Amino acid sequence: MKKSLRLLASFALGCGLAATVPAQATEYTLFDLGSLTPGQQMWATGINDLGRVVGYSYGDGRSGWSSSNQYSAFVTGANGSGLTGLGTLGGSWSRALAINNAGQVVGDAQTAAGNYRAFIGAAGSPLTELGTLAGSPNSTATAINASGRVVGTTSATDPNNPNIQVDQRGFITGANGSNLQDLGSLNGNGLLARGINASGQVAGVVASGSYYNGAFVTGPNAASPGPVFADTNAVNAINSHGQVAGMYRTDQGSVDAFIGTPGGTQTKLDFHGAQGYEYGNLGGFGQYGPISSSQALALNDSGQVAGVFGNGRVADYFAFISGANGQGVVTLDSLFTLGDGDHFVYATGVNNSGQFIANTAMGHAYLISPIPEPVTLALWTGGLLLVGWRGRRSSNLRETS
């Protein structure tokens, strides 16, 4: 029954019938993706419009990071069903970070030489290394569009601190991961790509050494990169309409999630309302106390956002989702009770059917699918009845003519 509900929801949302329904007015089903590697945690990173999810299992860490580099990339079937491991590039680990509607998966994996490289692959096929830029031993693929153009970053490891990457630059490929090229620079700083849309607009952050120094969005086909907003820390996602989402630093020093357009409006997501940081009980945020930071991580073509916020406590994070155009922000913990003290920490993806992916503090990855409201079902069913009635009436007229 749940599978049927997911399909109806995808159809209704795809037709635009529920495009303006805010997140808190929508009911959802919750599906645990399961476990790829027994005893390890799961982390979902990307989703396509068929509900195919990518990510990795990991051990000895939390919030998607393993202190011992225990990562194993996976991809699911439609609507999160089934888990398939993707293998490596000859080393001991791999991470899948994004997937397009053709089922092409990108990420990074360790090589036999011990470095890590960006890859493109698919379920049932070996991974293909994309290479790296000259002088950069490491590379990571962060996003892929419908034609298989891949973007990502290259870097070197700081010899004094293996946890810090330096000399960071961005790259873009041709169709199906071919011909990796330097994305260029802005004011002498590297462009670290985090998203790409169907027209080839690339969005991401500007690197200054091992730090970020603003955000950028290019024109179609990665042309003419320019700054988005002077105070923007990062743009993490871009949709087919050119909307962007990420985080920016306010004059008060907080870091807030936003949705906007390149060179245009920048709208802070409404976590706090008229009462400021003490939001009360509205939207399910009051129980978390003052919200110190938030970040938009993913964005679909309706402007629905997935992301994370914190309340100033060390390693205490909570997942949120929104309705269209970033409106109606709601916590996932207010929609679902997981039990055993677990809670949602990061919502990392959303597709054009309104399905979200999210991860929990105890290492579970979930697919969250909308259930159509009764009015949407009525419209959908009524449309089918109308089509059937018109077809029958047309047939009767032909028989009597």
Side-chain angles (χ1 to χ4, degrees):
M1 187 62 177
K2 286 185 178 179
K3 184 176 181 181
S4 298
L5 288 172
R6 288 195 191 99
L7 292 174
L8 291 175
S10 299
F11 179 88
L13 287 170
C15 292
L17 297 176
T20 60
V21 178
Q24 70 268 29
T26 306
E27 293 185 4
Y28 294 88
T29 61
L30 188 65
F31 178 70
D32 192 333
L33 296 183
S35 178
L36 178 70
T37 306
Q40 289 199 351
Q41 303 174 85
M42 293 283 284
W43 195 260
T45 57
I47 183 172
N48 70 9
D49 289 340
L50 299 176
R52 300 189 68 186
V53 180
V54 295
Y56 50 88
S57 67
Y58 69 102
D60 195 22
R62 59 176 298 170
S63 296
W65 291 101
S66 169
S67 58
S68 56
N69 281 340
Q70 297 180 46
Y71 302 111
S72 298
F74 71 79
V75 60
T76 77
N79 294 308
S81 61
L83 286 167
T84 300
L86 290 171
T88 72
L89 290 173
S92 63
W93 60 265
S94 62
R95 302 181 302 173
L97 301 177
I99 182 172
N100 65 11
N101 286 345
Q104 293 176 300
V105 181
V106 296
D108 57 13
Q110 188 182 52
T111 67
N115 297 320
Y116 59 88
R117 295 290 174 86
F119 72 77
I120 186 170
S125 301
L127 304 183
T128 299
E129 182 185 327
L130 295 179
T132 189
L133 298 174
S136 299
N138 305 317
S139 60
T140 297
T142 53
I144 182 170
N145 71 4
S147 62
R149 299 193 74 182
V150 182
V151 293
T153 64
T154 70
S155 63
T157 302
D158 187 331
N160 299 315
N161 189 336
N163 296 318
I164 295 179
Q165 295 298 303
V166 295
D167 299 327
Q168 299 179 89
R169 292 181 288 168
F171 71 80
I172 185 170
T173 76
N176 300 313
S178 62
N179 192 26
L180 184 145
Q181 297 182 16
D182 197 322
L183 192 56
S185 62
L186 186 65
N187 299 324
N189 296 314
L191 305 177
L192 309 187
R194 292 188 171 176
I196 181 171
N197 65 14
S199 67
Q201 285 183 282
V202 183
V205 299
V206 181
S208 179
S210 59
Y211 299 95
Y212 299 151
N213 187 29
F216 75 92
V217 175
T218 74
N221 295 313
S224 304
V228 186
F229 307 104
D231 56 356
T232 300
N233 276 27
V235 170
N236 295 322
I238 183 168
N239 67 17
S240 64
H241 308 302
Q243 280 183 307
V244 295
M247 63 177 181
Y248 71 99
R249 188 171 298 279
T250 69
D251 292 338
Q252 291 74 35
S254 64
V255 177
D256 291 333
F258 81 94
I259 185 171
T261 57
T265 61
Q266 178 175 328
T267 303
K268 172 182 172 181
L269 298 192
D270 185 9
F271 288 87
H272 314 306
Q275 299 180 44
Y277 282 86
E278 295 293 346
Y279 194 88
N281 292 319
L282 300 177
F285 294 100
Q287 62 183 300
Y288 304 106
I291 297 173
S292 62
S293 64
S294 59
Q295 182 173 183
L297 300 175
L299 177 73
N300 70 7
D301 286 347
S302 296
Q304 288 182 282
V305 176
V308 57
F309 69 92
N311 60 7
R313 300 167 189 164
V314 177
D316 207 357
Y317 301 104
F318 305 91
F320 74 84
I321 63 175
S322 83
N325 295 313
Q327 300 298 305
V329 176
V330 62
T331 70
L332 288 177
D333 289 336
S334 70
L335 299 179
F336 302 102
T337 300
L338 297 176
D340 296 326
D342 203 6
H343 73 276
F344 289 100
V345 289
Y346 281 74
T348 51
V350 56
N351 66 13
N352 289 324
S353 296
Q355 293 177 300
F356 293 88
I357 51 173
N359 304 286
T360 77
M362 293 186 178
H364 293 272
Y366 287 94
L367 174 66
I368 300 164
S369 301
I371 301 173
E373 292 186 292
V375 64
T376 302
L377 280 173
L379 287 170
W380 185 81
T381 305
L384 289 182
L385 291 174
L386 180 61
V387 170
W389 178 80
R390 284 178 174 173
R392 184 172 182 180
R393 183 172 182 271
S394 176
S395 176
N396 290 338
L397 287 174
R398 287 196 299 271
E399 290 175 1
T400 55
S401 61

